[in-house]
Amino acid sequence: CLQITDSSYVVHSEDMLYRKGYEEFKRQSGSKNFEFFKFRHCTGPVCEQQVILIEANQERLRLAMLASRQGWFEINVQTGTGVSSPEYPRILGYEPAEFITTIANWLEGIHPEDRAAAQRELRSCIESGETRAIEYRRRTKDGSWRWIRSVGRIVDRDAQGRPLRMIGMHTDINDRKELEAQLLHSQRLEAVGTLASGVAHDLHNILTPMLMG
């Protein structure tokens, strides 16, 4: 149904139509990168409609990730290399073309105080195959720190059953973290004020009889 060519669409979908196209693409080219393979429209109106529909869904997903400050990633956990959607590098101040998606690069960019926890969650995700999430500070291009929430899951294994491919999302939660910090600061000030008021009241009760006597 699908004809492989040098033009057309960039795909990120588990749709069977595209999976079949990917398998043919992999056979012809030797590439194992499902995220970026090129193909021409299907023959027949039904296939063409499916392509148009999925292309429209891809655009909706792109706009939704842009609005929610999210970006997807895919990692080969055996090689440590991968790809990211353009939205993720831009959250960190990079242009997609200059950003390298690897496990090593990800860990290196995490705040030293958060790195050990991130390594533990990554290891747990790979070993268990279950969804894992971690919140941490990530260094941006200008050297500042930005809070990110990452969620990932193993979605493919090799013939021996070893984890092969992880897919997930990075979300910019910096604004939320700043609000939480402000709220915590306000609560602490309020607690100190309440304590000071109580101490002053107790001192007043103790000193008043003494002064009056």
Side-chain angles (χ1 to χ4, degrees):
C1 182
L2 289 172
Q3 302 296 321
I4 307 303
T5 183
D6 291 331
S7 64
S8 207
Y9 306 97
V10 176
V11 177
H12 179 66
S13 173
E14 293 297 331
D15 186 276
M16 184 57 67
L17 172 69
Y18 288 93
R19 177 59 69 180
K20 289 180 179 178
Y22 163 65
E23 295 299 335
E24 177 65 15
F25 169 76
K26 185 171 65 173
R27 185 185 66 79
Q28 291 186 19
S29 67
S31 172
K32 296 181 180 180
N33 189 343
F34 176 57
E35 301 305 326
F36 299 97
F37 72 90
K38 300 176 182 180
F39 64 95
R40 194 169 60 190
H41 66 276
C42 297
T43 58
V46 174
C47 286
E48 290 180 2
Q49 290 173 5
Q50 288 178 318
V51 169
I52 291 171
L53 176 61
I54 292 178
E55 187 180 33
N57 287 338
Q58 287 294 109
E59 178 63 8
R60 292 188 188 99
L61 176 61
R62 186 188 70 81
L63 293 174
M65 288 193 297
L66 183 64
S68 59
R69 296 189 63 76
Q70 292 182 306
W72 59 259
F73 67 90
E74 176 184 341
I75 292 288
N76 181 321
V77 297
Q78 294 186 10
T79 65
T81 59
V83 292
S84 298
S85 67
E87 294 79 14
Y88 178 54
R90 288 173 177 146
I91 289 172
L92 303 175
Y94 293 91
E95 286 301 314
E98 63 180 330
F99 190 77
I100 300 174
T101 301
T102 65
I103 292 177
N105 182 59
W106 176 67
L107 288 172
E108 182 182 356
I110 294 176
H111 195 286
E113 295 177 0
D114 303 332
R115 193 173 298 148
Q119 288 177 310
R120 286 195 301 270
E121 288 301 320
L122 174 63
R123 192 180 308 114
S124 175
C125 182
I126 293 173
E127 292 175 353
S128 70
E130 298 177 355
T131 301
R132 290 290 186 268
I134 182 71
E135 295 182 358
Y136 55 90
R137 287 159 289 183
R138 179 72 155 83
R139 187 170 54 242
T140 64
K141 186 177 181 179
D142 65 12
S144 61
W145 297 100
R146 197 157 195 89
W147 279 97
I148 301 293
R149 174 180 169 84
S150 296
V151 181
R153 184 184 180 91
I154 297 297
V155 295
D156 273 339
R157 296 180 180 273
D158 63 16
Q160 288 72 44
R162 295 173 300 187
L164 178 61
R165 187 164 63 115
M166 177 189 292
I167 284 182
M169 297 289 289
H170 296 302
T171 304
D172 181 356
I173 59 171
N174 203 66
D175 290 347
R176 193 198 84 193
K177 285 292 187 177
E178 288 183 348
L179 287 174
E180 288 177 354
Q182 292 173 10
L183 177 60
L184 180 60
H185 180 66
S186 297
Q187 289 174 338
R188 285 175 176 171
L189 289 178
E190 183 179 355
V192 170
T194 300
L195 177 61
S197 176
V199 170
H201 182 267
D202 291 342
L203 284 174
H204 179 269
N205 290 339
I206 293 172
L207 293 176
T208 297
M210 297 174 59
L211 292 174
M212 293 181 65

